[in-house]
Amino acid sequence: MSSKSGKSAKSAMISHGMVAQNRKARFNYNILETIEAGLVLKGPEVKSLRLGRATINEAFAGERDGELWLFNSYIPEYQGGVLSRFDTRAPRKLLMHRKEMRKFIGAIAKQGATLVPLNVHFNDRGMAKVTLGLGVGKKSHDKRQSIADRDWQRDKARLIRNKGKGDY
């Protein structure tokens, strides 16, 4: 059961750290506040996550029956000989304190904001967590400004790095 790099399949699993990241979220939304929530998962879903196989680029969180759920996140089926199958895009319940949940549901209703998953990770105790951001969608001119700011930061870093080399 060894892979090409010589590591065993067990050591290739993620015990803690980042599993999936939504890199476009901070570009498409102004993130006002972030919070960490737990995920309710089945056994094969956890094993698939531990292999680092998840996508949250198109996912969003919303309310259903007074609770928060993560919709449209993709966790592929675990191929390790498990007989139980699951829906890869099933809604997954988010675990939060009731007070925090009400606060975010109220913000969604009042401000027209969106709960966007920023990343999925395993904490130090090995529990699956999702970092949610309360975001308001950016307009196209805001996105252009973000691109200009990012380009300027990159150019500024390049100028500072090359300053001592005589190449101005």
Side-chain angles (χ1 to χ4, degrees):
M1 295 232 43
S2 63
S3 61
K4 291 180 183 179
S5 63
K7 292 184 179 181
S8 68
K10 283 275 189 197
S11 66
M13 289 190 160
I14 300 169
S15 61
H16 65 279
M18 188 82 61
V19 175
Q21 188 175 15
N22 187 354
R23 297 181 60 181
K24 294 287 274 183
R26 293 195 188 270
F27 179 73
N28 291 329
Y29 297 94
N30 284 324
I31 304 297
L32 307 174
E33 192 174 345
T34 61
I35 190 162
E36 187 178 76
L39 273 171
V40 175
L41 299 170
K42 297 179 178 94
E45 291 175 320
V46 174
K47 287 188 171 200
S48 187
L49 269 184
R50 289 207 184 274
L51 291 174
R53 302 173 58 206
T55 306
I56 58 169
N57 292 338
E58 300 164 356
F60 63 97
E63 183 208 2
R64 180 193 284 177
D65 300 328
E67 296 177 336
L68 283 177
W69 292 75
L70 184 64
F71 299 102
N72 206 25
S73 62
Y74 178 73
I75 300 176
E77 289 186 1
Y78 179 66
Q79 300 298 324
V82 178
L83 294 177
S84 63
R85 301 286 181 218
F86 59 90
D87 185 12
T88 57
R89 292 208 182 262
R92 292 168 177 91
K93 188 175 177 180
L94 296 173
L95 303 173
M96 299 172 71
H97 291 285
R98 181 74 55 190
K99 193 173 186 179
E100 293 173 337
M101 196 179 313
R102 285 192 196 118
K103 175 183 162 187
F104 280 97
I105 290 172
I108 291 170
K110 289 179 187 172
Q111 301 174 0
T114 305
L115 272 178
V116 183
L118 302 175
N119 65 47
V120 176
H121 61 277
F122 287 103
N123 66 3
D124 294 334
R125 293 177 45 206
M127 309 295 272
K129 301 287 185 174
V130 59
T131 304
L132 297 170
L134 184 66
V136 178
K138 285 185 183 179
K139 307 283 188 228
S140 61
H141 60 85
D142 293 333
K143 291 180 184 180
R144 286 194 297 268
Q145 184 62 41
S146 295
I147 292 170
D149 290 343
R150 186 177 61 218
D151 289 346
W152 166 240
Q153 291 298 326
R154 186 173 48 241
D155 290 343
K156 186 168 68 171
R158 186 180 301 127
L159 288 172
I160 291 171
R161 187 175 60 240
N162 294 333
K163 186 175 184 183
K165 297 180 182 176
D167 185 32
Y168 293 94

